[in-house]
Amino acid sequence: MTFGQPQSNHNGGMIAFSPIDGYLYIGTGDGGNGNDSGSGHAVGGNAQAMSTRLGKILRIDVDSLPFTTPANNPFASDPFPANEFWAIGVRNPWRFSFDRDTGDMWIGDVGQNAREEITYQPASSTGGENYGWRLREGYIQTPSVGGPKPAGNVDPVHQYNTGFPGAVIGGYVYRGASIPDLKGTYIFADHSFQSRQIWSFRYDGQTKSEFANRTEQFDFGNLHTVVSV
């Protein structure tokens, strides 16, 4: 699979197999530039356009080559490339993961100038979610674009104010045995050189709880981590 990128930023870069269905998921990013606009961007933005792979989560079957699109993809009956889409409306989901116990999907979607966000998709999802970009940034209207929520919009489960040059780094639900108090918590970070923050929280599918800043519990000077809970 190859496809062009209009600009050099927001190019995605994460692929992962779901522990539930075994299919390959691909985060693509909107192709770059500000406001998902300009040369190489569809009217209204790539992330909302059904004519481009950009700004999407794709789902394909690679059990045989060339790859195929699963018959139960949410837009499987639509013309290419929409038949490959699992979810739309993302800006740059360059780090996502699956909870290895539950199969729930967690997406760290990089914001523009206002919000960074964490999006949750339960393992029971049949796909087709619209995560809002470019009309939405976190819980709010994108300040430089505006507009109502698109049809089928799903808000993130967590947002925070962005700080240049910050970008959310989507993480993982901890399922290890070494730190029992963290088991079942989602851990993520921000790459900002000013803060280098690391956080965690729990989410039961409806309610977020136990949000905590873990930055001071990690030793950045070593490859291992030092955590006290």
Side-chain angles (χ1 to χ4, degrees), residues 140-217:
I140 66 172
Q141 291 186 1
T142 304
S144 52
V145 178
K149 292 182 178 181
N153 181 81
V154 177
D155 284 332
V157 296
H158 180 73
Q159 69 163 21
Y160 62 94
N161 295 350
T162 193
F164 184 80
V168 66
I169 308 296
Y172 295 86
V173 174
Y174 179 72
R175 293 297 180 185
S178 298
I179 313 172
D181 288 350
L182 285 184
K183 191 169 184 177
T185 63
Y186 177 70
I187 302 173
F188 69 103
D190 190 284
H191 99 306
S192 171
F193 300 118
Q194 293 132 331
S195 60
R196 301 203 321 186
Q197 301 294 295
I198 300 174
W199 303 277
S200 69
F201 63 85
R202 296 184 185 274
Y203 187 68
D204 63 5
Q206 294 183 320
T207 304
K208 182 177 67 176
S209 63
E210 297 181 36
F211 181 82
N213 189 315
R214 303 286 182 181
T215 310
E216 296 301 320
Q217 298 172 340

Side-chain angles (χ1 to χ4, degrees), residues 123-137:
S124 60
S125 171
T126 56
E129 289 88 348
N130 188 331
Y131 292 119
W133 178 254
R134 71 176 188 165
L135 298 172
R136 310 292 296 180
E137 193 172 351

Side-chain angles (χ1 to χ4, degrees), residues 2-223:
T2 61
F3 50 93
Q5 298 282 357
Q7 288 84 33
S8 62
N9 54 337
H10 319 168
N11 297 154
M14 177 77 194
I15 62 176
F17 288 99
S18 164
I20 297 297
D21 59 35
Y23 293 134
L24 182 65
Y25 289 69
I26 304 166
T28 65
D30 69 7
N33 214 10
N35 297 322
D36 190 2
S37 62
S39 176
H41 293 257
V43 175
N46 286 334
Q48 293 296 320
M50 301 300 283
S51 59
T52 174
R53 286 166 165 154
L54 298 175
K56 312 296 189 299
I57 302 290
L58 311 178
R59 183 175 80 148
I60 60 174
D61 184 348
V62 297
D63 281 348
S64 60
L65 296 177
F67 68 87
T68 59
T69 54
N72 62 345
N73 269 11
F75 308 104
S77 61
D78 290 5
F80 169 84
N83 60 322
E84 298 172 354
F85 300 169
W86 177 251
I88 70 174
V90 291
R91 184 170 183 264
N92 194 26
W94 74 300
R95 291 293 180 270
F96 63 86
S97 64
F98 293 97
D99 184 331
R100 66 189 186 192
D101 277 15
T102 67
D104 298 333
M105 188 179 191
W106 294 82
I107 305 168
D109 197 11
V110 178
Q112 184 161 262
N113 296 320
R115 300 289 188 271
E116 306 292 314
E117 65 182 73
I118 299 293
T119 295
Y120 166 87
Q121 187 183 93
S124 60
S125 171
T126 56
E129 289 88 348
N130 188 331
Y131 292 119
W133 178 254
R134 71 176 188 165
L135 298 172
R136 310 292 296 180
E137 193 172 351
Y139 303 148
I140 66 172
Q141 291 186 1
T142 304
S144 52
V145 178
K149 292 182 178 181
N153 181 81
V154 177
D155 284 332
V157 296
H158 180 73
Q159 69 163 21
Y160 62 94
N161 295 350
T162 193
F164 184 80
V168 66
I169 308 296
Y172 295 86
V173 174
Y174 179 72
R175 293 297 180 185
S178 298
I179 313 172
D181 288 350
L182 285 184
K183 191 169 184 177
T185 63
Y186 177 70
I187 302 173
F188 69 103
D190 190 284
H191 99 306
S192 171
F193 300 118
Q194 293 132 331
S195 60
R196 301 203 321 186
Q197 301 294 295
I198 300 174
W199 303 277
S200 69
F201 63 85
R202 296 184 185 274
Y203 187 68
D204 63 5
Q206 294 183 320
T207 304
K208 182 177 67 176
S209 63
E210 297 181 36
F211 181 82
N213 189 315
R214 303 286 182 181
T215 310
E216 296 301 320
Q217 298 172 340
F218 285 79
D219 180 0
F220 289 106
N222 295 283
L223 294 178

